[in-house]
């Protein structure tokens, strides 16, 4: 693989995985009716999960669920779940279900990942950690639209549209991808991969595990799934933590376009970092100069790529590497090589840490599930002109990334209409939802957490963390944020009011 392809794929993988959606719905059963046909039989996990989880040892099992909850006796699929059991029966409270985001991220090894990141022992004592591949992902009847890393559709965030013609060109690609997904869906699963059905699946898993209630920790898109579960099954939800908040139970055009806002709010953190290190990387002596360097280099790469990397891929790369401050040195290294026209330096730069989506099949699966959930959850505008207008407006409003976040995607041509309305937030339920949010976050900016806090009203509290990046609890480095969230998970002490961690 050439480095130009490596940069393209690295950006795609970071974007794919994110990310990580009361009352009854207008159509379809809100309750996951009917008991599972069997209880989980725990055994060894698949070899790839074992390798990814090492040295932590997980158990795996499957839980049957219907493809269509409107036809519970019809076709079914098995969901694979994992478990890291509590070793302290005197302190064990129950299960803590986990979701890493996406939609499209595999969560089977997430218990082990959180352990490796320093999840407190008190949490491990209190819960059996339950990871899973939600429907359509990995070991749970995976979807595959036949997408490849070198194909024209390689990330779930549309490419930056340098002009109006680029929107029209992307529309042709998006239309072809939507049709391709439909043609590859030989089992009829595609239209049933939704946030509402994933929430019903969570309740089937809870029931299969013999728990009256379940706690939940979800990141990024996992906040939408957790919000849906807490709304559809409020009395079956225990302690709910939603970290890096999308803002609703689904991702819609407004949510997608907020990526551009997140880029504008988070980029200055990198710009200050780079300005302090100008003598090493040469990207600008002030944050303003670093911003100008970004815009100038992107424009030059639009005209003349370096080592096969064009301006579209460079913008995608910067967006992806702003997910974590620990990636800033790698971003500066690759940026410096591109700035200098150093093809060898571009090829030598290391990509982000590997993930399950590193394989072509994994990338295809992640992108396919992202499309299925996003397009099935809500109706997207079908007229290309809507996206042309939005791109033109957002290119001016959010010059760093607006013409990407507003660009057209396959949802405009999706072959299926939503089977039911999006899950409505139910603010009539237990006060058990902690929203955790970094003040600067690329794909899930702070405004989303404030919006969900308002929708859940007194059921929730907002824990704002003065940090930059995607993911706070355990994944960040703020003591107040860590301690407050751990205290809630272990002791059930929800902050009496919204809290700001400096």
């Amino acid at each position: 693989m050439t480095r130009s392809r490596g940069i393209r794929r690295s950006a795609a993988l970071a974007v794919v995985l994110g990310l990580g959606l009361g009352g009854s719905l207008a159509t379809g059963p809100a309750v996951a009716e009917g008991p599972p046909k069997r209880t989980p039989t725990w055994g060894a996990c698949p070899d790839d999960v074992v390798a990814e989880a090492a040295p932590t040892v997980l158990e795996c099992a499957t839980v049957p669920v219907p493809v269509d909850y409107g036809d519970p006796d019809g076709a079914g699929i098995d969901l694979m779940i994992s478990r890291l059991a509590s070793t302290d029966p005197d302190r064990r409270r129950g299960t803590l279900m986990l979701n890493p985001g996406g939609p499209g991220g595999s969560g089977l090894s997430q218990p082990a990942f959180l352990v490796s990141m320093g999840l407190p022992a008190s949490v491990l004592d209190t819960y059996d950690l339950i990871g899973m591949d939600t429907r359509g992902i990995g070991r749970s009847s995976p979807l595959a639209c036949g997408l490849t890393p070198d194909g024209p559709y390689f990330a779930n965030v549309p490419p930056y549209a340098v002009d109006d013609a680029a929107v029209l060109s992307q529309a042709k690609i998006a239309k072809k991808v939507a049709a391709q997904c439909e043609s590859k869906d030989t089992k009829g699963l595609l239209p049933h991969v939704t946030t509402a059905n994933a929430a019903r699946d969570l309740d089937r898993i809870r029931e299969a595990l013999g728990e009256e209630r379940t706690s939940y920790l979800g990141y990024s898109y996992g906040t939408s799934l957790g919000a849906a579960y807490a709304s559809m099954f409020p009395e079956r939800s225990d302690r709910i933590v939603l970290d890096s908040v999308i803002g609703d139970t689904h991702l819609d055009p407004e949510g997608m376009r907020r990526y551009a806002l997140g880029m504008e709010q988070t980029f200055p953190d990198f710009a200050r970092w780079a300005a302090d290190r100008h003598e090493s990387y040469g990207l600008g002596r002030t944050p303003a100069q670093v911003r100008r360097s970004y815009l100038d280099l992107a424009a030059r790469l639009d005209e003349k790529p370096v080592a096969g990397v064009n301006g579209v891929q460079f913008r995608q790369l910067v967006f992806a590497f702003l997910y974590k401050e620990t990636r800033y040195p790698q971003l500066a290294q690759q940026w410096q090589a591109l700035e200098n026209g150093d093809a060898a330096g571009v090829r030598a730069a290391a990509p982000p840490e590997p993930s399950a989506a590193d394989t072509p099949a994994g990338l295809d699966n992640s992108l396919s599930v992202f499309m299925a959930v996003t397009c099935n959850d809500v109706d997207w505008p079908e007229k290309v002109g809507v996206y042309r207008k939005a791109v033109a407006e957002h290119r001016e409003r959010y010059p760093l990334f607006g013409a990407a976040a507003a660009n057209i995607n396959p949802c405009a041509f999706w072959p299926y209409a939503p089977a039911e309305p999006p899950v409505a937030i139910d603010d009539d339920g237990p006060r058990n939802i902690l929203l955790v949010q970094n003040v600067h976050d690329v794909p899930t900016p702070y405004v989303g957490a404030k919006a969900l806090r308002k929708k859940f009203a007194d059921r929730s509290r907002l824990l704002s963390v003065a940090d930059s990046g995607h993911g706070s609890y355990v994944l960040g480095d703020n003591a107040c944020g860590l301690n407050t969230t751990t205290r809630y998970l272990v002791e059930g002490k929800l902050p009496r009011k919204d809290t700001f961690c400096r």
Side-chain angles (χ1 to χ4, degrees):
M1 174 181 288
T2 65
R3 184 55 202 152
S4 62
R5 290 181 180 179
I7 283 183
R8 181 178 183 180
R9 189 189 66 164
S10 298
L13 297 183
V15 174
V16 162
L17 298 179
L19 287 161
L21 283 181
S24 61
L25 300 172
T27 61
V31 177
E33 298 174 349
K37 295 179 181 178
R38 63 179 185 269
T39 56
T41 301
W42 296 103
C45 292
D47 290 345
D48 58 327
V49 178
V50 171
E52 192 170 352
T56 300
V57 178
L58 303 176
E59 303 170 285
C60 284
T62 59
V63 175
V65 298
V67 170
D68 181 359
Y69 278 92
D71 181 19
D73 296 323
I77 57 174
D78 284 341
L79 306 179
M80 182 167 285
I81 63 175
S82 63
R83 179 176 69 175
L84 180 59
S86 167
T87 57
D88 190 340
D90 293 331
R91 296 186 62 182
R92 182 188 181 278
R93 177 178 178 84
T95 58
L96 179 65
M97 294 187 184
L98 308 173
N99 187 279
S106 173
L108 285 176
S109 64
Q110 194 180 13
F113 170 72
L114 291 177
V115 169
S116 73
M117 296 301 294
L119 186 69
S122 56
V123 177
L124 298 175
D125 289 341
T126 305
Y127 299 100
D128 291 347
L129 301 188
I130 305 297
M132 67 191 72
D133 281 350
T134 55
R135 61 172 54 209
I137 294 173
R139 302 279 177 169
S140 299
S141 294
L143 291 179
C145 292
L147 307 171
T148 64
D150 297 318
Y153 189 87
F154 63 92
N156 54 36
V157 180
Y160 187 94
V162 296
D163 53 27
D164 186 61
V167 182
L168 297 176
S169 176
Q170 183 62 20
K172 295 178 181 178
I173 294 172
K175 186 175 183 179
K176 180 179 179 181
V177 168
Q180 185 172 316
C181 286
E182 182 182 24
S183 69
K184 295 286 186 178
D185 182 36
T186 58
K187 298 181 179 179
L189 178 61
L190 187 63
H192 301 288
V193 177
T194 67
T195 299
N197 281 336
R200 296 179 179 112
D201 291 344
L202 292 183
D203 204 55
R204 281 293 179 94
I205 295 170
R206 173 202 60 78
E207 188 177 33
L209 295 175
E211 302 288 343
E212 292 186 5
R213 296 187 298 169
T214 185
S215 295
Y216 178 90
L217 169 61
Y219 296 87
S220 195
Y221 165 77
T223 67
S224 290
L225 177 56
Y229 186 80
S231 295
M232 295 170 68
F233 307 99
E235 300 307 323
R236 299 179 191 173
S237 64
D238 194 4
R239 298 169 186 172
I240 306 297
V241 176
L242 308 181
D243 187 324
S244 305
V245 183
I246 284 180
D248 213 321
T249 61
H250 55 272
L251 184 64
D252 57 12
E254 180 183 357
M256 179 76 79
R257 291 167 190 169
R258 282 202 293 267
Y259 292 176
L261 172 63
M263 179 84 155
E264 293 285 346
Q265 293 176 340
T266 307
F267 185 87
D269 297 329
F270 171 78
R272 285 190 292 271
W273 181 94
D276 289 342
R277 295 159 179 80
H278 174 74
E279 292 184 10
S280 294
Y281 296 109
L283 303 184
R285 296 185 182 278
T286 67
Q289 289 179 0
V290 176
R291 181 183 176 93
R292 175 49 54 190
S293 171
Y294 168 87
L295 294 171
D296 289 347
L297 177 58
R300 293 202 306 273
L301 292 173
D302 287 336
E303 298 294 328
K304 185 179 180 180
V306 172
V309 179
N310 59 31
V312 171
Q313 294 161 357
F314 172 64
R315 294 179 181 95
Q316 202 96 7
L317 178 78
V318 174
F319 177 85
F321 274 81
L322 290 180
Y323 272 50
K324 282 295 172 189
E325 290 180 335
T326 53
R327 293 180 177 173
Y328 285 2
Q330 289 177 298
L331 172 56
Q333 178 191 40
Q334 297 191 32
W335 185 332
Q336 183 182 41
L338 290 168
E339 191 78 63
N340 296 333
D342 179 7
V346 173
R347 294 190 183 96
E353 63 269 16
S355 74
D358 268 318
T359 65
L363 179 62
D364 182 13
N365 182 217
S366 293
L367 292 173
S368 301
V369 172
F370 182 93
M371 280 188 289
V373 174
T374 304
C375 302
N376 287 332
D377 275 356
V378 296
D379 259 326
W380 286 66
E382 298 178 8
K383 294 183 179 180
V384 178
V386 172
Y387 299 91
R388 296 171 69 183
K389 182 174 184 292
V391 166
E393 292 176 350
H394 282 249
R395 185 184 290 113
E396 297 298 322
R397 186 181 304 172
Y398 306 115
L400 298 180
F401 205 64
N407 202 359
I408 194 167
N409 65 58
C411 293
F413 307 99
W414 201 242
Y416 307 104
E420 57 188 328
V423 178
I425 295 294
D426 189 349
D427 61 0
D428 183 16
R431 184 183 302 172
N432 65 343
I433 300 169
L434 180 63
L435 309 176
V436 184
Q437 181 67 47
N438 287 338
V439 294
H440 293 162
D441 186 328
V442 181
T444 57
Y446 188 60
V447 65
K450 292 195 292 184
L452 195 60
R453 170 69 174 89
K454 184 177 180 180
K455 292 170 186 174
F456 269 122
D458 201 44
R459 286 194 67 188
S460 66
R461 292 291 181 268
L462 174 58
L463 178 64
S464 305
V465 181
D467 206 347
S468 182
H470 192 50
S472 178
Y473 182 60
V474 180
L475 307 183
D477 191 32
N478 185 286
C480 166
L482 177 72
N483 293 338
T484 304
T485 307
T486 298
R487 187 181 307 117
Y488 175 54
L489 285 174
V490 175
E491 302 175 15
K493 294 182 179 179
L494 195 68
R496 287 180 293 178
K497 59 182 181 179
D498 293 345
T499 302
F500 189 88
C501 287
R502 300 189 181 279

